[in-house]
Amino acid sequence: MRHSLTLLRNPKRLIGFAVSVGLACIVFYLLPQRSFEGQDLNGQWFSVLPPIVAIAAALFFRNLVVALTAAFLTGAFLTYGWNPFVVLPNAINAFVIKNLVDSFNISIFVFLFALVGMIHVIYRSGGIHGMAEKLVVVARGRRSAKLATILSGIIIFFDDYSNTIVVGSTMRKLTDRWKISREKLAYLVDSTTAPIAGLAILSTWIAFEVFLFSQMSRELGLEEGGYEIFIKSVPFRFYCWGTLIFLVISSISDRDFGPMYKAEKRAYETGEVLRGGAQLIVRENNKILEPEIGQRYLARNAVFPILWVILSIFFGILMLGRYRMLGDGVEFSFGDMSDWREAFGYATNPSYGDAGSMLILALAAITGGLLAILMAAFSRVLAPKKALKAYGQAIPTLWMAAFILIMAWSMKEICTTGLNTDEYLISLLGDRLPVWTLPLLTFFIASGMAFATGTSFGTMGILIPVVLPLAYSLGAYDSDSHLLFWLTSAAILDGAIFGDHCSPVSDTTVLSSIASGCDHIDHVSTQVVYSLTVMTLSAFLGYLSIGFGLPLWLFFVLFPLMTLGILFVFGKKIAS
């Protein structure tokens, strides 16, 4: 309601809203009316309208609720027609209710609530403060604080969800101390989630990717299995490698440009780590959560619950995969690392049709919260009643997060099952193109699809079975090195990560904003400039150049040099 009143008091935004509605009506009027009479819009250019509406409305109104609601209604009317009495019930049932009852999504809600509850307890008990005091010994300035955040993201390499929430929540105190903006923290957190999990040889990401590669390999009769295809594509994951290189160089140089420079300059000069008027998805009352005066700050009250969650997730996923392997008659040996990788694959295999590894994350967060409460009570820094009260305060703070996640998932359903946006984007590839351009075009298509739908896994699941057989038929696998085939494989994975990385409707992007305590639109608008910079360099120094025949090592020489050049030409130093 408050946001609606703000809109009414702002004539420019009110006029803009009216213009947006008018333009939407004109677009609907110009659409072929026969499309609503038995023929649909699937796979046509109209199918990209919902994500375009979401992005435009988000940037103009700086209100994610308005943006996602407008995009949802656009997709609903495009899918089901003009009659609101038909459209709304069908859209809510197909796109909203379906996501609410999905066991995987329910587990995400439980994981998010339980982990935020645990963070509340360790904050209220002084554990976060104690850990920050310990980290200050290592992180003695802005550069080292940013590098410590990056290192924390690398350590939790095996899962992006747990990486996002744990790193964002625990590093906030440290980065605030050194006047690092929340926009920068959200960027550091978001950029060490999927890029790290995507490169790691053991993670929840690789398991899904290997599963898809294995199916495709059997269909094409390739010599390499799924895991071997993944390993051979790792050197060509130019966006992931580029993101990490850009993170390290920009952090060490302490230089920024574009919207990120403005955010960092504001934080450094004024101490305001958040923009004035920033709207947080999760609004926490820090005064209530602050430890009492004179209370001891014990780092162990934060370190042990966090370690428990991390180790529980890792070994929980491993044991779930082992259980499924043994159930299918497949042997497992703790001394064989290949069995560990296969176990992660079984744990995250979507063919089992259950929450799988996400349920492990939820259980780890619940038990981590219980451990945090017990440690706070036994160390006599926080009474059990106060610890439970701090834990329960996570519930009212997460209603907006729940709404945004539901709407983001609904957008994914609209684009993938309602309008088949993926079919339209795939059709742009065609089948008459020079084979050496295929990796670059595939990277762009995967990027656009993941950006529009907000799902990297969905993009991989759609493109791997479609694009790799196309690459095979065009001769990408014919050479002795199979270079173009590995490049195309990497381009699908990289493009999916880029689009998901900077899409405003991606759940990991939303979670990064939540964990870092950052306005979501501020996070997206500052991050997208850097993501597009890395994406452009990766596309032309990587997929185009290497596909054309230049040596691989050239990318790892030119990319850091180009990054330095951009930061020193367009960037400015934050601290003198």
Side-chain angles (χ1 to χ4, degrees):
M1 182 67 180
R2 181 174 61 83
H3 299 318
S4 301
L5 293 175
T6 302
L7 180 65
L8 291 173
R9 287 196 296 263
N10 192 322
K12 290 184 179 179
R13 291 192 176 184
L14 185 59
I15 293 170
F17 181 76
V19 171
S20 300
V21 172
L23 289 174
C25 291
I26 293 172
V27 169
F28 279 120
Y29 178 77
L30 293 176
L31 291 178
Q33 295 302 307
R34 65 180 180 277
S35 64
F36 297 121
E37 300 172 3
Q39 298 184 25
D40 56 37
L41 301 172
N42 289 359
Q44 299 184 34
W45 70 268
F46 313 114
S47 62
V48 301
L49 281 178
I52 290 175
V53 168
I55 295 161
L59 293 177
F60 185 82
F61 297 111
R62 303 191 70 85
N63 187 307
L64 200 59
V65 174
V66 172
L68 288 175
T69 303
F72 175 80
L73 292 175
T74 301
F77 281 103
L78 283 172
T79 304
Y80 293 108
W82 284 95
N83 189 343
F85 297 103
V86 174
V87 172
L88 294 179
N90 284 329
I92 291 172
N93 182 63
F95 304 136
V96 178
I97 303 299
K98 179 181 177 181
N99 284 301
L100 283 175
V101 300
D102 183 84
S103 60
F104 188 88
N105 292 346
I106 291 172
S107 296
I108 290 179
F109 283 133
V110 174
F111 169 68
L112 181 60
F113 162 71
L115 203 57
V116 171
M118 185 193 81
I119 296 298
H120 278 198
V121 173
I122 61 180
Y123 192 97
R124 178 68 176 78
S125 67
I128 292 289
H129 301 69
M131 192 168 69
E133 288 179 350
K134 301 291 184 184
L135 287 172
V136 166
V137 178
V138 179
R140 298 183 177 181
R142 289 174 52 84
R143 291 184 180 86
S144 52
K146 287 184 281 188
L147 290 173
T149 304
I150 295 171
L151 181 60
S152 299
I154 293 173
I155 290 172
I156 311 177
F157 61 87
F158 52 86
D159 182 75
D160 56 335
Y161 286 122
S162 49
N163 179 312
T164 300
I165 299 295
V166 171
V167 176
S169 301
T170 56
M171 299 304 289
R172 231 189 279 178
K173 197 77 176 175
L174 179 67
T175 54
D176 284 357
R177 176 189 177 94
W178 291 109
K179 298 180 182 180
I180 296 170
S181 68
R182 293 288 179 83
E183 292 93 330
K184 186 72 168 186
L185 173 62
Y187 170 63
L188 296 174
V189 169
D190 208 355
S191 299
T192 51
T193 52
I196 293 294
L199 290 173
I201 62 171
L202 192 67
S203 72
T204 51
W205 279 66
I206 182 181
F208 180 71
E209 294 162 352
V210 167
F211 168 75
L212 294 173
F213 281 141
S214 298
Q215 285 187 324
M216 183 275 307
S217 176
R218 286 193 295 269
E219 291 174 3
L220 295 180
L222 305 182
E223 299 175 359
E224 297 83 3
Y227 191 75
E228 192 173 357
I229 294 173
F230 169 82
I231 291 297
K232 289 188 175 182
S233 71
V234 167
F236 307 108
R237 301 289 295 274
F238 300 122
Y239 180 76
C240 290
W241 291 119
T243 297
L244 298 179
I245 293 170
F246 190 92
L247 276 180
V248 172
I249 292 177
S250 62
S251 296
I252 292 174
S253 66
D254 201 30
R255 286 179 172 270
D256 288 287
F257 60 90
M260 189 69 79
Y261 171 74
K262 294 179 181 178
E264 283 289 85
K265 185 179 180 182
R266 178 203 70 228
Y268 182 73
E269 292 183 351
T270 68
E272 296 178 0
V273 295
L274 283 168
R275 173 182 58 83
Q279 299 174 9
L280 303 187
I281 297 174
V282 174
R283 291 193 172 274
E284 298 171 338
N285 192 334
N286 288 330
K287 291 183 179 179
I288 295 176
L289 292 175
E290 281 293 337
E292 296 176 357
I293 297 174
Q295 182 176 311
R296 290 179 299 161
Y297 296 161
L298 302 177
R300 64 174 181 267
N301 285 351
V303 172
F304 286 116
I306 291 170
L307 282 177
W308 170 267
V309 170
I310 294 171
L311 294 175
S312 296
I313 290 172
F314 184 85
F315 287 105
I317 292 173
L318 178 67
M319 296 310 294
L320 174 63
R322 176 180 178 273
Y323 172 79
R324 288 179 172 178
M325 287 175 66
L326 295 176
D328 287 351
V330 180
E331 293 184 1
F332 176 90
S333 171
F334 283 103
D336 190 344
M337 283 302 297
S338 63
D339 284 353
W340 284 47
R341 291 191 292 266
E342 192 168 357
F344 264 68
Y346 270 86
T348 55
N349 191 329
S351 65
Y352 283 92
D354 56 22
S357 59
M358 198 65 233
L359 182 60
I360 299 296
L361 268 68
L363 292 174
I366 292 171
T367 53
L370 179 61
L371 178 61
I373 293 171
L374 292 175
M375 289 195 66
F378 282 116
S379 60
R380 296 183 179 181
V381 295
L382 193 63
K385 185 177 180 179
K386 291 181 178 180
L388 288 170
K389 183 179 179 181
Y391 190 95
Q393 284 169 345
I395 297 175
T397 65
L398 290 172
W399 290 121
M400 185 57 68
F403 172 80
I404 290 173
L405 281 174
I406 291 168
M407 294 304 292
W409 291 329
S410 299
M411 280 291 298
K412 180 190 72 173
E413 289 293 329
I414 286 172
C415 290
T416 54
T417 64
L419 296 175
N420 290 347
T421 307
D422 51 296
E423 288 185 7
Y424 171 71
L425 293 173
I426 290 173
S427 70
L428 299 178
L429 271 176
D431 55 3
R432 296 180 180 179
L433 61 149
V435 67
W436 61 271
T437 65
L438 184 60
L440 178 66
L441 294 176
T442 299
F443 180 56
F444 286 146
I445 292 294
S447 298
M449 186 180 297
F451 187 86
T453 61
T455 168
S456 50
F457 276 28
T459 300
M460 295 174 194
I462 292 166
L463 289 185
I464 287 176
V466 173
V467 174
L468 290 186
L470 172 63
Y472 184 86
S473 67
L474 290 174
Y477 192 78
D478 291 348
S479 64
D480 292 337
S481 64
H482 309 319
L483 172 66
L484 292 174
F485 193 83
W486 309 138
L487 276 170
T488 306
S489 301
I492 295 173
L493 307 183
D494 253 10
I497 285 178
F498 161 76
D500 181 70
H501 185 202
C502 57
S503 172
V505 297
S506 162
D507 51 4
T508 48
T509 308
V510 173
L511 290 175
S512 295
S513 299
I514 293 171
S516 304
C518 181
D519 180 296
H520 185 61
I521 304 303
D522 289 346
H523 169 42
V524 173
S525 60
T526 51
Q527 174 169 273
V528 72
V529 176
Y530 284 4
S531 298
L532 285 171
T533 301
V534 174
M535 183 252 203
T536 303
L537 293 177
S538 301
F540 293 101
L541 296 180
Y543 291 109
L544 184 64
S545 300
I546 309 306
F548 189 69
L550 295 178
L552 175 62
W553 60 263
L554 196 61
F555 170 83
F556 292 97
V557 172
L558 291 181
F559 191 97
L561 292 176
M562 289 293 291
T563 298
L564 281 169
I566 290 170
L567 288 171
F568 276 87
V569 172
F570 299 102
K572 295 179 182 178
K573 201 173 183 62
I574 305 299
S576 57

